Amino acid sequence: VTTVQSKARQSEEAVQEITRDMKRLDYAKKHLSVTITTLKRLHMLIHATAQLRHAVRVCDPPDYKNAGNLVDATQFLLSHFRGYMTNVEKMRLLQRDVEEMRVELNEGIMFGFRVVGFGLQGALEKKEKEDQKKRKKSSKSSSSSSSPGKADKKTKEQQEREETQLKKASAPLPPETL
């Protein structure tokens, strides 16, 4: 009877050890699956951002059709990484880059509509008025902040962006976009 009881205890300990190992493996599998999914999403985000950059900044004129889909995709993928934005500098830079490209697209579309509605000269005049308002706003905000150099830098970046848009707007559109 004692031998049977001792063997029963040994068997019970072996079963508990096996189930403990199975739980550890299950836990590791779950976390490995989450890690793989996160890495796949990161890869898709980086790839979509590169495609968006090409559609917005390399194509002349910008490929608005693809860029629109890519903006949606990057926004969706970025939503999975919101928790990393405060701690990971590269994620913040990626998010900022996507946002800047979204703004560029927005400005380009608005400028295109104005060219159609008001003609090139009228669109340029409206753009100049908006730019003056932005400069006034940024000069008010920069006078209240302690770093005026940043406002100058932003103004230069905005001017470069505007010059690029003007060049793109004055270029003839290919027949397939008309």
Side-chain angles (χ1 to χ4, degrees), residues 50-59 61-64 66-67 70 105:
Q51 287 180 324
L52 179 62
R53 189 175 297 112
H54 182 269
V56 173
R57 296 183 177 156
V58 176
C59 292
D63 184 0
Y64 290 106
N66 286 332
L70 290 167
L105 284 170

Side-chain angles (χ1 to χ4, degrees), residues 3-171:
T3 4
V4 171
Q5 286 178 346
S6 92
K7 285 189 178 195
R9 268 187 260 128
Q10 287 176 350
S11 296
E12 188 177 327
E13 288 172 5
V15 167
Q16 285 178 354
E17 190 175 317
I18 289 171
T19 55
R20 193 173 348 166
D21 289 344
M22 288 173 65
K23 285 180 184 177
R24 283 186 196 148
L25 288 172
D26 189 43
Y27 185 73
K29 178 186 171 193
K30 182 173 132 183
H31 285 284
L32 186 61
S33 297
V34 169
T35 301
I36 289 170
T37 302
T38 303
L39 286 172
K40 284 181 180 180
R41 285 179 179 155
L42 180 61
H43 174 72
M44 288 188 294
L45 175 62
I46 291 169
H47 186 68
T49 303
Q51 287 180 324
L52 179 62
R53 189 175 297 112
H54 182 269
V56 173
R57 296 183 177 156
V58 176
C59 292
D60 191 25
D63 184 0
Y64 290 106
K65 182 178 179 181
N66 286 332
N69 293 329
L70 290 167
V71 166
D72 287 341
T74 53
Q75 293 296 330
F76 175 73
L77 290 166
L78 279 169
S79 70
H80 292 290
F81 296 99
R82 295 280 184 241
Y84 299 101
M85 296 301 170
T86 56
N87 298 327
V88 183
E89 176 69 19
K90 288 188 177 187
M91 289 302 295
R92 282 194 305 268
L93 293 173
L94 191 64
Q95 182 181 27
R96 187 179 332 135
D97 193 30
V98 168
E99 182 59 25
E100 287 173 0
M101 287 185 280
R102 191 188 66 73
V103 168
E104 287 175 33
L105 284 170
N106 220 5
E107 290 173 353
I109 289 169
M110 292 303 295
F111 187 77
F113 279 127
R114 287 184 181 139
V115 167
V116 170
F118 302 110
L120 182 59
Q121 190 59 36
L124 291 173
E125 290 170 4
K126 289 197 176 289
K127 180 109 178 96
E128 183 59 35
K129 286 179 184 178
E130 282 183 0
D131 293 343
Q132 287 173 356
K133 285 181 184 178
K134 286 180 184 177
R135 283 191 285 266
K136 285 180 184 178
K137 239 185 208 181
S138 67
S139 67
K140 286 180 184 178
S141 65
S142 66
S143 64
S144 63
S145 69
S146 61
S147 59
K150 276 188 174 180
D152 293 339
K153 183 178 179 184
K154 287 182 182 177
T155 304
K156 287 179 184 177
E157 289 173 2
Q158 287 173 349
Q159 288 173 350
E160 289 173 3
R161 188 180 302 147
E162 291 164 9
E163 288 172 9
T164 305
Q165 285 179 348
L166 289 175
K167 288 177 187 174
K168 289 179 181 179
S170 61

